[in-house]
Amino acid sequence: LILTPTAFPAVTGNAMTTERWRKGLQKDFEVEVRATRGLDGLSLLKILRERPPRLIHAHHAFHAGSLLLNPLMEVFGSKIPLVVSPGGTDINVDWRDRKKREAVVRICHRARFVVVQSEELKIRLRELLPEIEERIVLIPKSILFLGEEPFDLRSQAGCDRESLLFFMPAGIRPV
């Protein structure tokens, strides 16, 4: 079970990352992705009881992982191995808020492995939480192509064949 703030078909970074992981893992495992936005602890507990996963991956320590810190979840969910992948928001934004930081620290301490997607995040996490260093694993970002049909980007951009076309398929955010 992968928990994430938003899930596919939403077009967000979290949704696309977890969809990429789901597609990669589904070759060998049954993988379910659940959006945590709007999900409460009781609803998650019901999901876990109906179909207990063999592993929970919380993608985004605060927005997905903090649900697992609910006292109801601590009793039932603590028996299920946990992997957490903090995002840039966890470390660069949520870390400034004491309550959010405490949740990020607790969920990272509980996790068997902490997955990061960049060397920079690995370095930063080792600085902030040196006691979990041996459990930090780097899995670099990659792409997920969801289409098969050709797309004439040059035509859409009004760019002729002789001109240089620079395309950056991502948003630039402070995190």
Side-chain angles (χ1 to χ4, degrees):
L1 174 63
I2 300 175
L3 300 174
T4 178
T6 56
F8 192 75
V11 182
T12 66
N14 292 323
M16 297 310 288
T17 294
T18 53
E19 179 63 11
R20 184 180 72 246
W21 289 341
R22 186 193 69 76
K23 281 185 167 285
L25 291 168
Q26 77 178 2
K27 295 171 188 156
D28 299 310
F29 304 97
E30 182 182 344
V31 182
E32 181 178 350
V33 177
R34 287 284 183 143
T36 58
R37 193 168 285 160
L39 187 67
D40 61 37
L42 284 175
S43 299
L44 179 57
L45 185 60
K46 183 179 176 193
I47 291 166
L48 295 179
R49 286 186 175 217
E50 287 174 358
R51 292 189 61 210
R54 293 175 61 196
L55 175 92
I56 297 174
H57 180 158
H59 178 57
H60 198 293
F62 180 73
H63 288 290
S66 61
L67 273 177
L68 300 169
L69 299 174
N70 179 311
L72 291 171
M73 203 61 62
E74 296 253 341
V75 174
F76 181 78
S78 65
K79 297 176 181 128
I80 303 169
L82 173 66
V83 172
V84 65
S85 50
T89 305
D90 286 314
I91 303 308
N92 297 312
V93 178
D94 295 340
W95 195 263
R96 295 182 197 140
D97 179 288
R98 186 183 59 80
K99 285 187 176 188
K100 290 180 178 182
R101 179 177 56 245
E102 287 172 5
V104 170
V105 169
R106 284 179 61 202
I107 204 70
C108 285
H109 280 167
R110 188 173 148 219
R112 293 195 184 180
F113 291 98
V114 179
V115 174
V116 294
Q117 296 183 78
S118 71
E119 190 64 42
E120 294 79 14
L121 191 55
K122 182 178 181 180
I123 291 166
R124 182 78 173 120
L125 202 53
R126 283 191 336 221
E127 290 170 355
L128 297 172
L129 299 169
E131 66 278 11
I132 67 164
E133 180 176 3
E134 71 280 352
R135 291 183 280 133
I136 300 173
V137 178
L138 173 63
I139 301 177
K141 286 191 179 212
S142 63
I143 61 163
L144 171 65
F145 185 65
L146 298 174
E148 295 296 327
E149 61 281 343
F151 182 78
D152 188 357
L153 182 60
R154 284 188 173 279
S155 173
Q156 290 294 317
C159 184
D160 60 43
R161 293 262 171 234
E162 292 75 39
S163 299
L164 175 66
L165 175 62
F166 179 78
F167 175 62
M168 186 169 85
I172 300 175
R173 302 178 299 144
V175 299

